Amino acid sequence: MTKNILSRRACLQGMGLSLALPLLETMAAESGDSKSHKPPVRLGFMYMPHGVIMDQFWPADAESFLSSPPPALTSLQPVLDQCLLMKGISGVPIAPFNGAPHALELSTWLTAALPNAARRNEIDISISADQVAANYVGASTTLTSLELATMPQTWKENQEGLNEAYYSHCSFKSPTQPVPAEINPRNVLKRLFSTKEQSSGGGSSQQSPIGTSSLDQRMLDLVLGGARDLRRTLPSTDQKKLDEYLDSVRSVERRIAAIESRQKDAALEKAGVRSSRRNDSDSPPIEIKIPEGDKRSEYMQVMCDLAVLALQTDTTRVFTYIGSTPNGVSYPELGFNNQHHSQTHHNNEAEMVRKVAAITSFNIEQFAYMVKKMHGLREGEGTLLDNCILMWGSGLEDGNKHTRENLPFILAGKGGGSLRTGRFLPDTRGNQGDLLTTILTCAGIPLDRPIGIATKQLKEMRA
């Protein structure tokens, strides 16, 4: 085994990739006791543009949060004890792009960073939080991450000269690589199952001995510590290059770890030892039914079902779902055809405010559908939701004024015990990057740098 370690390490060094990674989670099946397996923490992010009607979204106070939720949260009431709300999370200040609120509301949502002002017509922003997580956990699953959307990512506009992809993408694999999202549920279903089939027979023909690992935590600590020290001495452009390099290193070595893990599974199966990650008491995978009509609620719910199935079967541990994009969306199912964007510029006109509130409630209902389903699925000693952190939110506070000082967020799930839910925290002081950094840390993602503009962890979130 030592020879194999040195051989692979020498190969990586020849490629300029000398970073070693920590050991991936040990398979409970090694001992033959599937009941002892602790499920992994998974992450999901669901987006709605244009902000909310604030007095209909935020609870009146922390004491009445569970018993008397505001109108926008009514659909979540059965599972509010599984949710956490925090008021006071500010968005990324958008100067010098003050004329581009819609180009930036989605693109900054998971990056907590602004585009490069010197390259406005090109994609150059920051790796997004979901992809930071995917780089760490993605090698353990057949899909590194899953990106879903309700609408095509093709909006054409040129606010402040910014690239049109900023309007409709929230995931960025690197500062210059937006990740496209799939809008066809049949294609998503095919991708989930075809990827699993392809990966089941993949990997190298060489087998690693059971119970061994070639990953060296001390090496990782040494390299990351050196990288952090070096980063402090570099100008911002070189810091970005170093960050991209380290991200690519982590991705390559975790892919190697994934191959080793699958080889170990195969060896266990051959030896007659059950190597499934699932516990005997876990709920069976949910059934997916593709809707035939054009009701938006049915479409969004099947996309939510696909995300649930992907997490439940450990096909991926990270997903994003862009429920709608900043322009061109209407909701005839609610009894009116006005576009969402036009109604948000309501100037407090009562009927327009009513329609915006209805659209917000509709979108939260779809999130509630997913949360309730996950809460009803057994996993390990609890539920699938217990082992997830789901975030619903918007990149604007108020679509009427384009404010970003108090962004609406809902967190659901206990993150494997890392989050204390059933609470409304009315006086949080933090920003979008702080929130994302804390979420990733709660999910067990080690960070060598904060997300975007983050300056701290939000300790009040934790259990």
Side-chain angles (χ1 to χ4, degrees), residues 382-393:
T383 70
L384 176 61
L385 184 63
D386 288 337
N387 300 308
C388 294
I389 302 175
L390 305 180
M391 184 176 86
W392 179 94

Side-chain angles (χ1 to χ4, degrees), residues 185-202:
R186 295 185 188 278
N187 289 344
V188 177
L189 194 58
K190 289 177 183 177
R191 185 182 176 202
L192 294 181
F193 287 101
S194 64
T195 304
K196 288 184 71 176
E197 291 167 2
Q198 291 166 5
S199 68
S200 62

Side-chain angles (χ1 to χ4, degrees), residues 235-308:
S236 59
T237 54
D238 289 337
Q239 286 181 4
K240 184 174 292 187
K241 291 178 182 178
L242 178 61
D243 293 343
E244 288 190 56
Y245 174 74
L246 291 175
D247 289 335
S248 68
V249 170
R250 278 186 284 268
S251 179
V252 169
E253 292 214 83
R254 286 193 174 90
R255 283 294 161 194
I256 292 172
I259 292 172
E260 291 179 341
S261 178
R262 288 195 290 269
Q263 290 170 351
K264 182 169 63 176
D265 293 349
L268 288 166
E269 294 283 3
K270 189 174 182 179
V273 180
R274 178 179 177 179
S275 62
S276 171
R277 292 173 182 268
R278 294 180 48 74
N279 300 286
D280 293 333
S281 61
D282 291 354
S283 298
I286 64 171
E287 180 182 358
I288 301 294
K289 295 182 179 180
I290 306 296
E292 298 299 330
D294 58 358
K295 290 183 67 175
R296 190 179 185 88
S297 59
E298 292 179 354
Y299 175 92
M300 292 185 71
Q301 286 172 15
V302 77
M303 297 300 267
C304 289
D305 282 343
L306 288 163
V308 171

Side-chain angles (χ1 to χ4, degrees), residues 341-359:
H341 177 231
S342 66
Q343 299 307 289
T344 60
H345 292 288
H346 48 70
N347 293 318
N348 296 316
E349 195 276 311
E351 180 61 10
M352 295 176 74
V353 168
R354 181 191 72 80
K355 291 177 179 177
V356 174
I359 291 170

Side-chain angles (χ1 to χ4, degrees), residues 202-225:
S204 169
S205 60
Q206 295 181 340
Q207 302 268 331
S208 297
I210 297 173
T212 62
S213 170
S214 60
L215 301 179
D216 189 336
Q217 179 67 55
R218 289 173 300 174
M219 176 74 77
L220 175 68
D221 293 341
L222 179 63
V223 174
L224 286 183

